Amino acid sequence: MTRFLLLALLLSLVFVVKLFEWNPGSVTFQYLPGHAVEIPEVALFVLSLGLGAGFVMIVHGTGDFLRWLRNLDEAREEKREEKVTALWKKVREELNRSHVPQAISLLERLVSLYPNHLEALLLLGNLRRLTGDATGAIRLHRRARVFDEEDVRLVIALCEDYRQAGRLDDEIAILSEYFHKKEGRNIDVLGRYRDRLVSRQKWEEALAVQSVLSRSFGKGERRDLEVSYLVGIRYETGRHHLEHAETELARRSFRGALKIDPLFSPARIGLAEAQSREGRVSEALTTLEEGFQRDRDPVYLYLLEEMALEAGSPERILTPFERAVLSDPQNSSLLYAQARLYDRLMMVDLALDRLESLEGRENWEGEFYRLLGDLYLRNKDRVNALEAFQKGARAENHPGRLYCRFCGQRYLQWTGKCLSCHRWGALTLHPGYVQAHSIPDHPPEERNAGGSSLSDPTIDAYSLGQSS
């Protein structure tokens, strides 16, 4: 090969010499203004040819050099990946043996060798939190977010860090930052953010988050559940405005909840309360009457009774009660509630007749017999009064005319959400008698007809198995 190249070079030189002999002419070459030189035509040709060849060699040489550099980087990356793979394997082995300190030591070594290794930073931070070092976990996870701010795992991991460290404001801040970004629509993160806002009773912000979350699902059970949360949070937003005397905003929130779910009793009751505070008592009473006509929940009659008597308009409650009894004459609970109303209006004979017709029909609680005994005393019937009081002493006694239809908790005053099982729209009028096996055995987080709850779902921030 060398001999061939030497022969080619020799022949080329001979050819150039011949060119000079065949072309003795020259050209004037001006390289600067006022400066020129005579150059043989063949020399100019050879110079141009040399420059072209040199340019080609430079281009190809540069390409070869860059390829060499890439190959060198790839070789280094392969060695790096081999080291990372070996270290990850050791980390998995230590975690499978529940040797957390050894796994942490290996991860620290990996991070020291490769400071921008996101997966190692994430797992090491989780292990730090697991061992109680929330501050160290926060530092590592913040460092990891420098390389990828949109990684949902890092957002959730930092939330867990802040929660363990008791820095709840920082947790809400990072969730808010994620939510207000265009990409911030992960349902687990949104659910967590909503729950934190609800726990702080930041209803306006929670409503904005829940509005997005409820639109994140197609038709189905999960969407229905999120929509029920949306209705409940709208109601709580209205209560917040009502407590701050912002009755107009309260009415808008309550109507917004009713637009989604017309049978959501807390919103209708809240709307009536807002109307009453604005001095529109007649309109408020009508709102409660409409509520009872819609779903026949006796809690509307109970609240209508309280509002009508307070306003000095007993006729506004007598007529709805009479209509209700006519439509359901065998309803013992409804008849008992009517008897109590008669008693409050000093209609003693009607109240006594009603209670005597109900005695023995149900297993009544003690309050029934105490009311019956009191009516007998007003009629100066001491014998029957004593007998009624004795029955009342032997009967079950539970304070509160209201109760949760889901968990059975009794209440003296109405509230939009059961404080025991945290369901909205769960409170209704207790029938006054012992209900055998009447409370459904459902966990609080399930939604049932007429009620919904807002639980705090457990979010799997980052599985050690996945990270390994």
Side-chain angles (χ1 to χ4, degrees):
M1 185 68 178
T2 304
R3 292 179 180 179
F4 174 76
L5 292 176
L6 289 174
L7 178 60
L9 180 60
L10 181 60
L11 292 175
S12 298
L13 291 174
V14 171
F15 179 70
V16 170
V17 171
K18 287 296 183 182
L19 285 177
F20 273 99
E21 292 179 0
W22 298 335
N23 301 277
S26 62
V27 296
T28 302
F29 179 75
Q30 183 175 341
Y31 57 91
L32 285 174
H35 296 78
V37 64
E38 293 290 332
I39 300 177
E41 295 177 351
V42 175
L44 184 61
F45 168 74
V46 172
L47 179 62
S48 300
L49 185 63
L51 289 175
F55 178 76
V56 172
M57 290 180 64
I58 290 174
V59 171
H60 283 280
T62 302
D64 292 339
F65 178 73
L66 292 176
R67 281 193 293 273
W68 177 79
L69 289 179
R70 283 197 298 269
N71 292 335
L72 183 61
D73 289 339
E74 290 175 359
R76 290 176 178 174
E77 185 65 23
E78 287 179 2
K79 291 181 179 179
R80 178 181 180 277
E81 291 296 331
E82 289 175 1
K83 290 181 180 179
V84 170
T85 302
L87 285 173
W88 272 119
K89 183 178 179 181
K90 291 180 180 179
V91 169
R92 286 197 301 269
E93 291 174 354
E94 296 298 343
L95 288 176
N96 290 334
R97 297 170 185 168
S98 299
H99 295 168
V100 175
Q102 290 83 345
I104 290 177
S105 178
L106 289 169
L107 285 169
E108 287 176 342
R109 178 184 170 192
L110 196 157
V111 169
S112 66
L113 292 173
Y114 311 106
N116 61 344
H117 197 289
L118 187 146
E119 296 295 332
L121 291 169
L122 179 58
L123 180 55
L124 181 56
N126 287 336
L127 293 176
R128 285 289 188 191
R129 184 179 65 246
L130 184 64
T131 57
D133 184 9
T135 302
I138 292 171
R139 177 178 54 81
L140 289 163
H141 288 147
R142 277 181 170 176
R143 179 175 161 187
R145 284 201 79 204
V146 173
F147 307 111
D148 189 353
E149 290 186 356
E150 305 305 326
D151 193 321
V152 175
R153 299 173 304 167
L154 291 172
V155 175
I156 296 177
L158 264 175
C159 289
E160 290 293 334
D161 300 340
Y162 287 133
R163 192 170 180 81
Q164 182 169 314
R167 297 167 57 177
L168 301 183
D169 289 336
D170 288 329
E171 181 188 7
I172 290 179
I174 193 173
L175 289 170
S176 176
E177 175 190 345
Y178 176 82
F179 172 69
H180 288 96
K181 291 182 178 179
K182 182 175 67 174
E183 300 83 3
R185 293 297 180 266
N186 179 272
I187 58 175
D188 289 336
V189 178
L190 291 183
R192 179 185 290 266
Y193 186 30
R194 173 204 61 200
D195 294 340
R196 300 301 175 263
L197 292 172
V198 167
S199 67
R200 294 294 188 87
Q201 296 187 355
K202 297 183 177 182
W203 299 112
E204 292 283 359
E205 295 93 329
L207 181 60
V209 177
Q210 188 60 32
S211 297
V212 174
L213 193 56
S214 62
R215 295 193 298 267
S216 302
F217 299 91
K219 291 183 179 179
E221 183 178 351
R222 179 63 188 272
R223 179 180 175 84
D224 293 341
L225 179 62
E226 297 300 338
V227 170
S228 73
Y229 288 167
L230 178 63
V231 173
I233 292 175
R234 279 191 180 277
Y235 162 74
E236 295 292 354
T237 303
R239 293 301 311 180
H240 174 77
H241 290 311
L242 201 58
E243 290 169 4
H244 290 79
E246 300 168 342
T247 54
E248 182 178 356
L249 293 175
R251 284 189 287 105
R252 290 180 183 176
S253 296
F254 293 140
R255 291 189 186 280
L258 290 173
K259 186 176 181 180
I260 301 173
D261 185 358
L263 299 181
F264 189 67
S265 59
R268 194 171 299 279
I269 293 169
L271 177 60
E273 185 177 347
Q275 292 167 337
S276 176
R277 291 192 185 186
E278 292 175 333
R280 300 150 59 187
V281 178
S282 178
E283 189 174 345
L285 294 172
T286 300
T287 298
L288 293 175
E289 290 173 357
E290 291 175 351
F292 180 72
Q293 292 171 3
R294 276 182 174 273
D295 60 11
R296 312 299 292 181
D297 189 338
V299 73
Y300 286 111
L301 294 178
Y302 169 79
L303 296 171
L304 183 63
E305 176 183 331
E306 298 299 322
M307 187 177 292
L309 295 182
E310 183 179 348
S313 304
E315 71 281 356
R316 291 298 300 267
I317 183 59
L318 281 171
T319 301
F321 254 114
E322 291 173 358
R323 291 175 179 171
V325 169
L326 286 174
S327 64
D328 191 3
Q330 300 304 317
N331 190 323
S332 300
S333 175
L334 196 57
L335 295 171
Y336 177 44
Q338 187 184 39
R340 295 183 68 120
L341 173 62
Y342 287 152
D343 173 62
R344 296 184 69 179
L345 296 176
M346 305 303 294
M347 303 167 68
V348 178
D349 291 337
L350 288 176
L352 185 58
D353 289 343
R354 181 69 75 205
L355 290 183
E356 286 179 338
S357 68
L358 292 173
E359 187 179 10
R361 182 186 291 189
E362 308 288 351
N363 184 15
W364 296 105
E365 294 183 350
E367 186 62 30
F368 174 91
Y369 294 104
R370 284 191 289 274
L371 177 58
L372 181 61
D374 183 62
L375 291 171
Y376 277 131
L377 281 181
R378 295 187 203 178
N379 278 354
K380 303 185 182 333
D381 188 347
R382 296 180 179 274
V383 176
N384 284 326
L386 178 60
E387 181 181 355
F389 288 137
Q390 289 174 342
K391 290 181 180 179
R394 294 192 297 268
E396 291 188 17
N397 289 276
H398 302 281
R401 290 188 63 187
L402 300 168
Y403 83 116
C404 174
R405 61 166 62 91
F406 297 107
C407 70
Q409 181 70 31
R410 298 289 283 265
Y411 291 88
L412 296 174
Q413 293 183 333
W414 181 86
T415 179
K417 180 192 287 187
C418 175
L419 302 180
S420 177
C421 68
H422 307 292
R423 291 174 179 271
W424 282 297
L427 267 63
T428 188
L429 184 66
H430 193 274
Y433 52 79
V434 179
Q435 297 174 290
H437 309 295
S438 61
I439 305 301
D441 185 19
H442 292 305
E445 64 271 14
E446 293 183 6
R447 181 173 191 257
N448 295 269
S452 60
S453 70
L454 184 58
S455 59
D456 184 3
T458 302
I459 299 177
D460 183 10
Y462 188 69
S463 169
L464 293 181
Q466 290 176 341
S467 66
S468 62

